[in-house]
Each structure stands twice: as C-alpha cells, then as structure tokens.
Amino acid sequence: MFGSRIAALGLATPTGSWRPESGAFDASRLTGISERRVCGAGEDSLTLARRAAFRCLDAAGVRGKQLDAVLFAGITRFTDGLASFQLEPALAQTLAADLGCPDALCFDLTNACAGVMTALSMGDLLIGSGDAQRVLVVSGEYLSHVGRNAAARVDRWNHPELASLTLGDAGGALLLTKADAPGFLAASFATFPEHASLCTAGPARNAPGGVMHTDAAAIHLHAIREAPAVIARALQRAGLRYAEIDCVIPHQTSLRAIRAGRRHFAEHFGEDAKHWAVDLAGNGNTGTCTHLVSLGEAVLRG
C-alpha cells in the first residue's frame, strides 16, 4: 500500500479562449476540440500555478507553512507572459515563497505530459519514507502559443504541427497527505525512450513562444498498444478487474485517439471500464494539467 492520499484539488482556468483552427484546416472535426481556454493578459505558467495552489490549500484548510514539499511538474515555465522563461531558480521555489512555506523542500521536474503523474509518485515516496507529511504537486501550463504559431502552417491531417492545434492552457494542484487508511492502492509506470523522437519541441525561430513537431498517429499507435500491460500491472497490484474501475481518465489528446484506446482496452481485458472522462471539447490538451482538469470535471459530475 502507498502511504499517501489526495486531500484536495485546485484548478485555475485562464480567462481567454480560442478556437483551434488554422486558416486552411478545421482541426475541431478531427480532434473533437471546439474551443480551448488560453492565457489572457497577465497570465502565464506561474500565475496559473499560483492560483491553482492557493485554491488547493484553501480547499484543504491548510496553510503554506504546513507544507513539507512543493513539486512543480509543468512543461512550461513562463513567468512574464512569453517574455521570460524561468530556468533558475526552480519555479517550485518561487511558488513556495508566494505560498509562505520557506522550509519546504522544492524542486521542478520535467517528464512531458506525464509530469504530474511522475510528481505524484515522487510525493508519495517522500510521504512513505517519513520525510514529508504534506506535499503540494502543482503545474501551470502556458502552451497555446505553440498552436498559434502552427495555425498558419497546418493544412492537412498529417501535418507535423497538427497536434499543436490541440493545446490549451490551465493550472492545477494536488495536495498529498499521509493516509490514515489505505490511500493510493497501486501505481504502474513505464517509459519507452525509443519513441521519444515522435514529439519534439523547442523555441520558435521567428515568433514568440514555441514550436512542436509530432507524429501523432505513431504516438497514439504505440501508446494504445503498450498501455494495457501497464494498466494490468496496476490492476493486479490493487486486486481489481478492469470492469470494476469507476472512471478512466485518459490523456486528453484527440477524441478519435481516445475512442480507439477505449475499444482496444475493452478488447484486451474482455470488458470495459464503467466510464471514461473526456473533456476535450472546451479544454483541449493542457499538457501536464490534462488529468487534473478531467479529474475535477469528473468529481463535479459525481
């Protein structure tokens, strides 16, 4: 058994919105995304993460000085719109100062869109080892500039920047605390570095922000093929069948890919989970925040 549980969730929704369309290609038909929330004036990775962190602590009735660790897990680290990308100090340290927890262990970690899931594992290890009792996992993603930069170039379904049009912005935070009763039942992670080159990103040369090149079809193919074995390990450790799962929260990439994944998993396990949480239409792919946004929506729906 893991030694921690999720005590509270906080989300931050940016104030702007944008339809994910290029001049020559309607991405909404293929992806299922009709609109996304995007950063407005004065919003960026730091402001979204900060807002989500305060909301999370308020929901838990916890003060910043009670935190033992702050882990920032976002891909982006913009702190002044697109004018400043903070490499040092760790964004977790900046957030800790804002939250009023000067004694907390702080570090950033990067693991693409799996960053929050990785940070949850790290936070659980800190609590399980006795080194921490309260760990804040937080992310703020300012990704929409990648889509804006791609919009004028995407003109076909297999364009290497098509996936850029799915990106939206969001902030999210989870508070982990020591579990008095069994908390997390099981976790299973796997990394497939041989496929790492299927998605690459970096700064744009002729515009503010970034650019991303993705072989979306190949990524979805490999993810759908490899995921059942990873899921099966977690189910075995938890002593559960796939059909007993109340809600599966997939990474929010495209509606077509999620539906294909669900069909494949049902065929693999010989049964389907009860519900799949899909929140693409109004949010899009918010990177490391995608599971947090979907979790929040699922909780609100009951």
Side-chain angles (χ1 to χ4, degrees), residues 18-30 147-159 162 165:
W18 186 56
R19 291 182 61 83
E21 297 176 359
S22 71
F25 185 81
D26 180 6
S28 61
R29 178 176 54 83
L30 183 64
R148 294 187 187 278
N149 289 337
R153 294 186 289 271
V154 175
D155 58 2
R156 61 187 189 278
W157 72 269
N158 60 345
H159 193 281
L162 173 66
L165 299 182

Side-chain angles (χ1 to χ4, degrees), residues 245-250 262 272-278 298 301:
I245 300 301
D246 291 321
C247 184
V248 174
I249 302 178
R262 182 171 188 173
D272 197 3
K274 296 175 184 176
H275 176 69
W276 274 53
V278 180
R301 289 195 302 266

Side-chain angles (χ1 to χ4, degrees), residues 16 35 45 54 64 73 105 117 154 166 173 194 213 216 223 229 240 243 255 280:
E35 191 175 18
S45 307
F54 275 113
L105 170 68
M117 297 297 107
V154 175
T166 70
E194 65 271 25
H213 293 118
L240 294 170
L255 189 60
L280 274 164

Side-chain angles (χ1 to χ4, degrees), residues 191-265:
T191 302
F192 304 97
E194 65 271 25
H195 304 312
S197 62
L198 294 178
C199 182
T200 60
R205 294 182 178 180
N206 301 312
V211 62
M212 182 175 74
H213 293 118
T214 306
D215 187 338
I219 285 179
H220 291 149
L221 174 66
H222 292 300
I224 291 169
R225 179 184 298 162
E226 303 287 358
V230 181
I231 295 170
R233 287 196 295 270
L235 291 172
Q236 184 178 21
R237 293 169 186 172
L240 294 170
R241 289 176 39 240
Y242 186 60
E244 295 178 278
I245 300 301
D246 291 321
C247 184
V248 174
I249 302 178
H251 182 36
Q252 306 293 316
T253 53
S254 79
L255 189 60
R256 182 172 296 184
I258 292 172
R259 286 173 173 170
R262 182 171 188 173
R263 289 194 301 269
H264 181 70
F265 296 168

Side-chain angles (χ1 to χ4, degrees), residues 99-234:
L99 295 170
C101 42
D103 297 326
L105 170 68
C106 302
F107 62 87
D108 295 355
L109 62 86
T110 301
N111 193 19
C113 293
V116 162
M117 297 297 107
T118 308
L120 284 176
S121 179
M122 297 297 101
D124 180 74
L125 290 173
L126 286 171
I127 291 174
S129 68
D131 291 330
Q133 292 192 20
R134 297 181 183 88
V135 176
L136 185 71
V137 172
V138 59
S139 177
E141 293 289 26
Y142 185 6
L143 296 163
S144 57
H145 50 88
V146 176
R148 294 187 187 278
N149 289 337
R153 294 186 289 271
V154 175
D155 58 2
R156 61 187 189 278
W157 72 269
N158 60 345
H159 193 281
E161 292 183 77
L162 173 66
S164 302
L165 299 182
T166 70
L167 299 177
D169 306 328
L174 289 172
L175 178 66
L176 300 184
T177 62
K178 187 175 181 180
D180 298 325
F184 289 125
L185 294 181
S188 177
F189 295 92
T191 302
F192 304 97
E194 65 271 25
H195 304 312
S197 62
L198 294 178
C199 182
T200 60
R205 294 182 178 180
N206 301 312
V211 62
M212 182 175 74
H213 293 118
T214 306
D215 187 338
I219 285 179
H220 291 149
L221 174 66
H222 292 300
I224 291 169
R225 179 184 298 162
E226 303 287 358
V230 181
I231 295 170
R233 287 196 295 270

